[in-house]
Every structure is written in C-alpha cells, then in structure tokens.
C-alpha cells in the first residue's frame, strides 16, 4: 500500500483515575488491512477499540483518520459489532436492517411509512439472502440463535458502508462450528467491500487465520509492588501472510506474551 | 419425586389458586353464623346474603335522595380521578424520565431534586393541596400525581439507564440524531417498563385516592365506605372493599395484557408476574 495511512495513532495513553491502561501506543494502519488484536484479559485491547470508536477518549496522544483527527463521538464512518446487545431487541430482523435508512430519510419521525417503507424493505432482500436470514426476517432477535444474531449485527454494522469496521470479540459466545461459518461470511464481506477491520479476539488461532496483521497488547514494564503502575502497549506487530495460516510465526511464539504477569507472585516467593 | 420438581396440572393449579379464596369465604361464613346465633342483629359480621342485598341496593336501586345508582356513580367518579391522576403521572414519567435518563446535563439538574421530592410523604401535602386547589377534583388528582409520579419518573429514568450502552452506540454509528434515538430506541425500549411502573404505581394511587375521598368528597368509593362507617354498615363496606379490589385487579391484568400484546418482543424471554 502507498500513500498516507488510513489510521495513525501517535503516543496514545489512556488512564483511569491516574492508573494507566494503555501507554505510548504507536500504530499506522493501511486502508484495507485486517488487524486482529489479542492480549491477556485487562490489557486494554477493548479499551483501544472503544477509543477507535470514540466511545472513550485518549488521555494523551492523537489519532488521525484519513489525516484528520478522529471525531469525538461515534459516527457512521466506523461500524461496530459487540459481543452482545449489538442489535435492537424491539425490532425484527428486517426492521433492524432498514433502521439506518429510516434515520437518513426521516429526520423527524425516524420512521418510514407506506411505499417508502416497502421499497426500503425490498432493498435489503439481497442482504438478507447473503446472511441467510431470509426466512427469519420477521423474527425478533430473541427468537434467533447466537450465530444468527451476530450475522444480523455484522450486516447492520455494514449498512452505512463504514470505511472502518470494529469488532469486539464478535464470535466469543459462539460454538466452534458456527464460528467457522462466521469467519467465511466476514472474510467474504471484507474482500467485497475492502474496509479496514480491527477485531479484538481471545482466540489466537482465529487471530492468525483472519488477520493480515496481528497486534499483541501487553505490559512491557512491571512493578511487582504496584501491578497497576504501568499500562499496556503493542508488544508484537506481525504481518500475516493472508488467510492461509502459513505464517512463519506460530501461535506458540505469541502465547508467552498472552500469559498474565506472574512476576509479583515470584517476588513474594523469593522474599520468603 | 422431590416436591420442588412436581408441577401442578392446569386444573390442579386453578383449583389450588381458588382454594385460599374459598377458605376465606368459608371461615367468614362460619364466624358470621355463630355471631348471629348470639345476636341476630349483629352488625360486625353480616351474613353473605345481607351483603349481597346491600350490594344490589347500591348497584341497582336508585338512591332515595338523589335518584342515582350509587355504586356506579361512585365507581365512575373514583375511576375518573384515578385515571386522570395516573395519566398525568405517566406523562411526567415519560418526559422527565427519558430526559433524566438519557441526557446527562438534565440528569445532573433534576435527579437529586426528584429523589428528594419523592421522599416527601404525599399525605402531608394533602392539606396544602386542599388549601391551594380547593376541595374539588383538582386536589384529589394532584395528590395521586404527587404520590405516584416521582417514583415512576425515577424508575423510568433507571429503565433508560439500563438500556445497554452498546445499543445506543450502535444507533449513533447508524447515523441517528438524539431525537431519532429517543423515538426509535429509547421510547420502545422503555415503554414496557413504563407499563410495569404504572402497574406498580396503581397500588399507592388507590391509597391516595381513597384517602383523599375519605377526607373531603361527596362521591366516590372511598367517600362511600367512610360515610357508611358511621352506621357500622359492614354489609356495605365489605362488598365495596371487594369491589375496589376487583377493579384494581382487573386494571392490573388489563395493563399486563396490553403489554403482552403491544410489546411481544419484551415478553419473549423469561416472563415476569
């Protein structure tokens, strides 16, 4: 890829009540990259994603999107899929999918009626086919399986054609078999639409399989007397060879970085 | 089989549900019977038959002085007061509750005030209401509003806060304005919970209604039972209490049925009472 990066993070630090969660994060991501983000629990990878979404704001540092500062609230330019509660429980599948166009075309009521509604509903037929929810289009999310709900959530997040898609452990609650289907769906959409994807996952095999680039978040400094004193940053930034899974880096190499810090414990044993 | 794993059939469940009611009536009938053996003119526990007669008199025989069917006049007046009060309280709960729950600046401005206001025992305000609004309908309706609205506002605001943050952010990424989020996300998510708040609010509402009617009124169910209390007319009071209870029960079931019908998605998961 040439030209300016799609997204550029400089000196990003995020603290809660003075406790740093992320520190000195530097990152440049090209258009169309599929970044998978892994790390131990509580290492700030979800915080990083929420900052990219503008749900939270950096304590220090800058983030440039297409060369401009990131907007300070969530906007249609960045789509999001959460692990849970991503779709609207009071709307049927079809209603969930036409909601964005209703927002756009009916500023006051936020609702389309009659012919406009019919044509909006017709407009999502292809999409329903693609995510395999044609038969379920009049069902409420509570009547769908977990996999179907997440397919709907992904489709809904892509309706506004965001240039960046953020995924926060989207398949964390799904069965392994369903996950494979979801991987295919996601890769297909990514190839077709060419958006830049950031995906937080707990599953390192998933991270290697899907990503073109693997980001590992971990703490590089540890103070055994004050485990909270330092935040995490990107410790590994690996380019992956597409989706073949034949990367030179094996999951085992990264596994060390994912283990929770045991330093504090060893120190105590040594003192004894 | 352990008792916790035994489930009653439909018929058994119905029979079990009726049992305590029948037992109460039976115990009453026996106690009344023995009291009247001692004193046939006993006023404290009148027979079921005399209560039936009294109820029929109130419901179907025009009053000698006014020519009205007292039960229906009382019921209509009481329900009108209750309905107006609850309508105003619901409207307040919806507007203030959503504003407080959804917009942080409004929350900072109003939440502590509403919380303080809701702690005033409403009955203590009744004299103030009588002085300011007079003894007419307005003061009774105002008491119901004062007694129920603050709690309903708070529970609606809490219901807004309980909407998963994920949904609100998702709506933002779909390009919704604040107004669109209120009409398409907050309102539909909150309405079923508002109906629950309304059902719970009806309990104190009845208390305030009967109290206000007992103190200063010329019609209404509460007025009637406190009026005939002077003559120890238990044969009127007891059927009236049953009648009020029945009305409250029917209102509650009506609202539940409305919620099930209108907000089917809300009742898809685990069901509540």
């Amino acid at each position: 890829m040439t030209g300016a990066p799609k997204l550029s993070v400089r000196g990003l630090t995020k603290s809660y009540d003075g406790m740093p969660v992320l520190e000195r994060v530097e990152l440049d991501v090209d258009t169309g990259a599929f970044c998978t983000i892994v790390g131990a629990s509580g290492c700030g990878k979800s915080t990083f994603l929420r900052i990219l979404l503008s749900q939270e704001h950096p304590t220090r540092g800058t983030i440039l999107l297409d060369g401009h500062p990131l907007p300070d609230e969530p906007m249609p330019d960045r789509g999001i899929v959460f692990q849970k509660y991503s779709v609207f429980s009071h709307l049927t599948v079809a209603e969930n999918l036409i909601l964005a166009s209703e927002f756009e075309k009916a500023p006051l009521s936020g609702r389309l009626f009659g012919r406009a509604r019919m044509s909006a509903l017709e407009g999502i037929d292809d999409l329903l086919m693609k995510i395999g929810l044609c038969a379920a289009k009049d069902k409420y999310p509570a009547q769908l399986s977990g996999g179907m709900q997440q397919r709907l959530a992904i489709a809904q997040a892509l309706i506004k054609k965001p240039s960046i898609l953020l995924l926060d452990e989207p398949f964390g609650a799904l069965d392994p078999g369903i996950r494979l289907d979801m991987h295919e769906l996601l890769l297909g959409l990514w190839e077709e639409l060419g958006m830049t994807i950031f995906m937080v996952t707990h599953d390192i095999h998933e991270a290697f399989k899907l990503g073109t680039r693997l980001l590992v978040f971990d703490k590089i400094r540890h103070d055994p007397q004050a485990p909270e004193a330092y935040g995490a940053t990107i410790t590994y930034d690996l380019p992956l060879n597409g989706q073949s899974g034949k990367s030179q880096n094996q999951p085992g190499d990264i596994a060390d970085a994912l283990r929770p810090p045991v330093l504090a414990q060893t120190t105590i044993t040594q003192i004894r | 089989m352990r008792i916790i794993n035994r489930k009653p059939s439909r018929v058994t469940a119905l029979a079990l549900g009726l049992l305590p009611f029948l037992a109460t009536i039976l115990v009453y009938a026996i106690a009344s019977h023995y009291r009247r053996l001692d004193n046939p003119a006993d006023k404290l526990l009148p027979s079921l038959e005399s209560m039936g007669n009294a109820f029929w008199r109130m419901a179907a025989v025009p009053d000698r002085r006014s020519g009205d069917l007292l039960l229906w006049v009382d019921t209509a007046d009481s329900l009108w007061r209750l309905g107006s009060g609850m309508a105003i309280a619901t409207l307040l709960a919806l507007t203030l509750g959503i504003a407080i729950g959804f917009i942080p600046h409004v929350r900072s401005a109003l939440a502590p005030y509403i919380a303080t206001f809701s702690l005033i025992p409403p009955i203590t305000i009744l004299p103030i209401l009588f002085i300011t609004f007079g003894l007419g309908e307005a003061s009774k309706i105002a008491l119901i509003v004062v007694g129920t609205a603050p709690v309903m506002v708070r529970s609606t605001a809490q219901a807004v806060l309980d909407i998963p943050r994920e949904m609100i952010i998702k709506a933002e990424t779909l390009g919704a304005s604040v107004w669109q989020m209120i009409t398409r996300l907050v309102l539909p998510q909150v309405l079923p919970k508002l109906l629950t708040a309304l059902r719970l609010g009806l309990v104190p509402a009845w208390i305030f209604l009967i109290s206000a009617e007992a103190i200063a009124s010329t019609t209404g169910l509460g007025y009637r039972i406190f009026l005939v209390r002077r003559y120890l007319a238990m044969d009127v009071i007891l059927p009236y209490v049953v009648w009020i209870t029945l009305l409250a029960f029917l209102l509650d079931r009506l609202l539940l049925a409305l919620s099930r019908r209108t907000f089917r998605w809300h009742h898809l998961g685990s069901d509540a009472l």
Side-chain angles (χ1 to χ4, degrees), chain B residues 13-90:
Chain B
L14 189 68
L16 285 174
L18 282 174
L19 203 62
F21 291 101
L22 296 176
T24 308
I25 294 171
L26 187 70
V27 168
Y28 178 88
I30 293 169
S32 162
H33 175 75
Y34 282 103
R35 266 192 86 92
R36 281 179 294 113
L37 276 186
D38 288 345
N39 171 18
D42 178 60
K43 294 209 111 185
L44 220 56
L45 298 182
S47 69
L48 294 175
E49 191 194 353
S50 69
M51 282 197 284
N53 288 338
F55 192 70
W56 177 255
R57 201 174 65 240
M58 300 304 288
V61 181
D63 182 49
R64 258 180 299 167
R65 196 167 56 81
S66 63
D68 290 332
L69 299 174
L70 291 178
L71 176 76
W72 303 112
V73 173
D74 288 341
T75 305
D77 286 357
S78 285
L79 284 183
W80 191 82
R81 288 166 193 147
L82 190 77
S84 318
M86 290 315 279
I88 296 172
T90 307

Side-chain angles (χ1 to χ4, degrees), chain B residues 20-214:
Chain B
F21 291 101
L22 296 176
T24 308
I25 294 171
L26 187 70
V27 168
Y28 178 88
I30 293 169
S32 162
H33 175 75
Y34 282 103
R35 266 192 86 92
R36 281 179 294 113
L37 276 186
D38 288 345
N39 171 18
D42 178 60
K43 294 209 111 185
L44 220 56
L45 298 182
S47 69
L48 294 175
E49 191 194 353
S50 69
M51 282 197 284
N53 288 338
F55 192 70
W56 177 255
R57 201 174 65 240
M58 300 304 288
V61 181
D63 182 49
R64 258 180 299 167
R65 196 167 56 81
S66 63
D68 290 332
L69 299 174
L70 291 178
L71 176 76
W72 303 112
V73 173
D74 288 341
T75 305
D77 286 357
S78 285
L79 284 183
W80 191 82
R81 288 166 193 147
L82 190 77
S84 318
M86 290 315 279
I88 296 172
T90 307
L91 210 64
L92 283 173
L94 210 54
T95 48
L96 286 177
I98 288 180
I100 290 172
F102 205 44
I103 300 164
H105 275 82
V106 179
R107 178 154 66 245
S108 300
L110 288 184
Y113 180 73
I114 301 272
T116 311
F117 197 84
S118 72
L119 292 175
I120 303 173
I123 290 289
T124 60
I125 296 187
L126 190 57
I128 303 171
L129 294 175
F130 279 150
I131 292 166
T132 42
F133 293 114
L135 298 177
E137 298 300 300
S139 56
K140 298 177 192 73
I141 293 168
L143 178 69
I144 294 174
V145 174
V146 168
T148 55
V151 180
M152 286 172 68
V153 169
R154 289 176 81 184
S155 73
T156 308
Q158 188 59 51
V160 176
L161 288 171
D162 288 343
I163 296 173
R165 194 75 212 163
E166 287 91 337
M167 283 193 197
I168 293 165
I169 287 168
K170 185 72 172 248
E172 288 181 88
T173 65
L174 294 180
S177 66
V178 171
W179 174 248
Q180 287 173 328
M181 279 190 270
I182 288 175
T183 56
R184 292 307 310 273
L185 171 60
V186 177
L187 205 59
Q189 286 281 334
V190 160
L191 278 178
K193 292 183 179 170
L194 180 76
L195 270 184
T196 310
L198 179 58
R199 287 169 62 203
L200 294 175
L202 272 170
V203 178
W206 275 104
I207 300 177
F208 299 129
L209 172 72
I210 303 289
S211 311
E213 287 179 342

Side-chain angles (χ1 to χ4, degrees), chain A residues 35-106:
Chain A
C35 297
T36 47
I37 302 172
V38 293
S41 296
C43 70
K45 55 190 192 300
S46 287
T47 305
F48 181 68
L49 205 73
R50 283 199 294 273
I51 291 174
L52 292 186
L53 181 63
S54 306
Q55 185 183 350
E56 294 187 26
H57 303 103
T59 313
R60 276 194 301 281
T62 54
I63 301 176
L64 297 180
L65 175 64
D66 294 322
H68 302 287
L70 202 65
D72 51 12
E73 58 181 356
M75 300 286 244
D77 57 352
R78 285 152 294 149
I80 176 75
V81 176
F82 296 101
Q83 185 174 359
K84 286 195 299 183
Y85 305 122
S86 257
V87 294
F88 301 109
S89 54
H90 59 283
L91 298 176
T92 63
V93 170
E95 286 168 344
N96 261 291
L97 291 177
I98 62 167
L99 188 64
S101 63
E102 288 187 298
F103 284 151
E104 194 180 326
K105 288 170 193 155

